């Protein structure tokens, strides 16, 4: 199997290409609270702010992004991530708003995989498949705050221990999620994991972005999207990769130049679009996995906000919010509907354990899983 993991020393050779803040400025980290679960567990928050109008609040529930505010072209800041007003709503909803998803992000066919000759059966929670680690994946767990730092770069590190057998996965996994913010208006996310037995790992962030605002009355279908991918992985009618890696040429999945999203997700002539009710597909990012590179860029013409997605993984799952069905009351009792927001998940390929031709999701004792992601914000006139 192909593998892009480099062992415990991998991070040393992976420098972020987007510079962190200089010592002339100070970013701030402040602890707070979001409320309690029914059992009395307090959900803690950490808010990171900089001197350029950007702030992000993360929380211990799911090591999630709860709010992220950034200025538009006129300098007006809005929260641009979908979410809820209480912890209970996050627990009740399967949409994974802002969450860290794992132990295996994305889908596994029929919840089965084989490792060292032994077959494992995971919980089925998405049609016939397992999605994002099952109904009690990392997004539904309460993480602990490991460290909080202010300074030129503000950061918070969350920690979670996934015990052997949790969700059906082998091995005890120790996981950290670090969120960092400097003066470059870029949110850096670093995922790390180690195991005491062979297992599979694929961790990513599942924030829903509406660059017009989380409670805006306009969706994201007019946004202009570029994805630096020359190929994608087609899926079956249950959204499991067939194993093929197909060129994007001549398909609705060709986003190599800026393209209005709504023009592609409504293309019913494509069987792949019909399967996903829009786009919910894995894009094979150009360039070498293990190197930080720009994966995608999305621009909202109305607000002028621009989001760039950077990562060092091999692929990017792009989901166009197809299953937001109008039944969810989000922040401020705003109804979330199809196409209101976009999800970009830098990660491994879906169902990787069942496709030997895909980059491997295997993690062994002594190695360190890593996934580094950057969400960088600017405006179109910059």
């Amino acid at each position: 199997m192909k593998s892009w993991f480099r062992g415990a020393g991998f991070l040393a050779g992976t420098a972020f290409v987007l510079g962190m803040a200089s010592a002339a400025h100070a970013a701030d980290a402040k602890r707070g609270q979001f409320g309690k679960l029914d059992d009395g567990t307090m959900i803690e928050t950490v808010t990171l702010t900089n001197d350029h109008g950007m702030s992000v609040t993360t929380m211990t529930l799911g090591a999630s992004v709860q709010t992220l505010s950034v200025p538009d072209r006129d300098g007006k800041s809005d929260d641009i991530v979908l979410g809820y007003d209480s912890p209970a709503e996050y627990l009740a909803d399967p949409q994974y708003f802002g969450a860290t998803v794992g132990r295996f992000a994305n889908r596994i066919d029929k919840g089965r995989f084989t490792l060292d000759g032994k077959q494992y059966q995971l919980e089925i929670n998405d049609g016939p498949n397992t999605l994002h680690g099952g109904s009690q994946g990392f997004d539904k767990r309460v993480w602990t705050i490991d460290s909080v730092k202010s300074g030129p770069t503000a950061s918070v590190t969350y920690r979670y221990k996934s015990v052997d057998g949790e969700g059906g996965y082998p091995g005890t996994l120790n996981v950290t999620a670090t969120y960092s913010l400097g003066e470059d208006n870029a949110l850096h996310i670093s995922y790390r994991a180690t195991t005491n037995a062979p297992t599979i790992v694929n961790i990513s962030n599942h924030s829903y972005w509406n660059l017009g605002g989380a409670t805006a009355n306009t969706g994201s279908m007019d946004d202009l999207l570029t994805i630096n991918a020359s190929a994608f992985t087609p899926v079956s009618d249950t959204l499991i990769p067939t194993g093929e890696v197909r060129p994007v040429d001549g398909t609705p999945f060709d986003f190599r130049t800026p393209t209005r999203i709504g023009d592609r997700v409504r293309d019913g002539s494509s069987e792949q679009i019909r399967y996903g009710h829009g786009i919910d597909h894995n894009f094979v990012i150009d360039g070498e996995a293990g190197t930080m590179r720009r994966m995608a860029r999305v621009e909202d013409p109305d607000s002028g906000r621009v989001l760039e997605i950077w990562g060092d993984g091999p692929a990017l799952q792009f989901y166009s919010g197809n299953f937001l069905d109008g039944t969810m009351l989000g922040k401020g009792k705003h109804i979330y509907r199809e196409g209101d927001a976009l999800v970009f998940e830098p990660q491994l390929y879906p169902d990787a354990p069942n496709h030997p031709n895909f980059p491997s999701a295997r993690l062994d004792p002594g190695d360190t899983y890593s996934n580094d992601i950057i969400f960088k914000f600017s405006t179109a006139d910059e």
Side-chain angles (χ1 to χ4, degrees):
M1 292 186 293
K2 298 177 182 178
S3 177
W4 67 282
F5 296 125
R6 307 294 178 86
F10 171 67
L11 180 61
T14 306
F16 286 148
V17 298
L18 298 178
M20 304 300 277
S22 70
H25 297 276
D28 182 61
K30 183 177 295 184
R31 298 180 71 147
Q33 297 176 343
F34 183 53
K36 293 182 179 180
L37 302 181
D38 289 343
D39 65 1
T41 300
M42 178 62 69
I43 301 304
E44 297 181 83
T45 63
V46 175
T47 299
L48 311 177
T49 58
N50 67 14
D51 290 335
H52 294 284
M54 181 172 169
S55 68
V56 55
T57 297
T58 58
M59 63 178 173
T60 52
L61 180 58
S64 303
V65 175
Q66 205 274 319
T67 67
L68 188 149
S69 295
V70 68
D72 64 9
R73 64 160 61 93
D74 298 320
K76 179 179 178 293
S77 288
D78 289 297
D79 179 12
I80 59 171
V81 292
L82 271 56
Y84 291 113
D85 293 327
S86 72
E89 292 170 296
Y90 282 91
L91 285 180
D93 182 56
Q95 297 298 327
Y96 310 97
F97 288 143
T100 293
V101 286
R103 177 178 306 196
F104 192 93
N106 221 308
R107 295 176 174 87
I108 294 181
D109 187 23
K110 299 181 180 62
R112 299 173 189 161
F113 68 94
T114 300
L115 193 65
D116 294 335
K118 181 179 179 179
Q119 186 176 88
Y120 293 87
Q121 179 65 60
L122 310 173
E123 177 194 8
I124 303 301
N125 67 321
D126 180 63
N129 307 313
T130 297
L131 176 65
H132 297 324
S135 64
Q136 297 299 311
F138 289 176
D139 62 296
K140 298 297 192 294
R141 305 292 180 173
V142 179
W143 298 49
T144 59
I145 296 176
D146 191 63
S147 66
V148 178
K149 299 177 182 178
S150 296
T153 299
S155 68
V156 55
T157 296
Y158 295 98
R159 184 174 296 277
Y160 179 67
K161 183 177 182 178
S162 177
V163 298
D164 179 34
E166 182 178 278
Y169 294 90
T172 293
L173 199 72
N174 286 291
V175 190
T176 60
T178 299
Y179 292 93
S180 304
L181 177 65
E183 295 302 325
D184 53 359
N185 274 14
L187 175 64
H188 298 242
I189 307 175
S190 296
Y191 292 117
R192 299 289 182 270
T194 58
T195 183
N196 68 349
T199 190
I200 61 170
V201 184
N202 185 30
I203 304 171
S204 192
N205 180 268
H206 204 279
S207 291
Y208 285 72
W209 307 100
N210 183 339
L211 296 183
T215 59
N217 291 323
T218 56
S220 299
M221 292 299 96
D222 287 332
D223 288 2
L224 302 176
L225 175 63
T226 306
I227 301 179
N228 298 322
S230 300
F232 75 108
T233 53
V235 296
S236 69
D237 59 358
T238 63
L239 300 182
I240 292 294
T242 63
E244 178 188 0
V245 178
R246 183 182 298 176
V248 299
D249 300 82
T251 76
F253 300 90
D254 189 351
F255 287 94
R256 289 174 294 179
T257 58
T259 303
R260 182 181 176 274
I261 295 171
D263 293 341
R264 298 298 175 82
V265 302
R266 311 299 186 196
D267 184 0
S269 65
S270 167
E271 182 179 62
Q272 288 294 304
I273 295 293
R274 296 199 301 272
Y275 284 162
H277 302 275
I279 298 177
D280 190 4
H281 288 72
N282 173 63
F283 289 76
V284 180
I285 298 301
D286 295 342
E288 182 180 356
T291 61
M292 185 62 68
R293 62 216 189 278
R294 194 176 78 174
M295 294 183 164
R297 178 186 187 274
V298 59
E299 176 183 335
D300 174 36
D302 289 338
S303 69
R305 291 189 182 95
V306 173
L307 167 61
E308 293 182 6
I309 301 93
W310 292 67
D312 63 357
L316 176 75
Q317 183 82 8
F318 169 48
Y319 167 53
S320 55
N322 319 321
F323 299 105
L324 299 175
D325 60 6
T327 63
M328 288 152 282
L329 291 176
K331 295 174 180 177
K333 302 305 178 186
H334 188 79
I335 295 176
Y336 295 141
R337 299 184 180 276
E338 182 180 0
D340 273 357
L342 312 170
V343 179
F344 300 95
E345 302 164 80
Q347 57 181 262
L348 299 175
Y349 297 11
D351 200 35
N354 294 313
H355 298 276
N357 61 312
F358 287 178
S360 175
R362 181 186 179 112
L363 180 67
D364 288 309
D367 289 340
T368 298
Y369 168 88
S370 64
N371 187 13
D372 290 306
I373 301 167
I374 302 172
F375 295 114
K376 181 173 175 59
F377 300 91
S378 60
T379 55
D381 56 355
E382 292 182 6

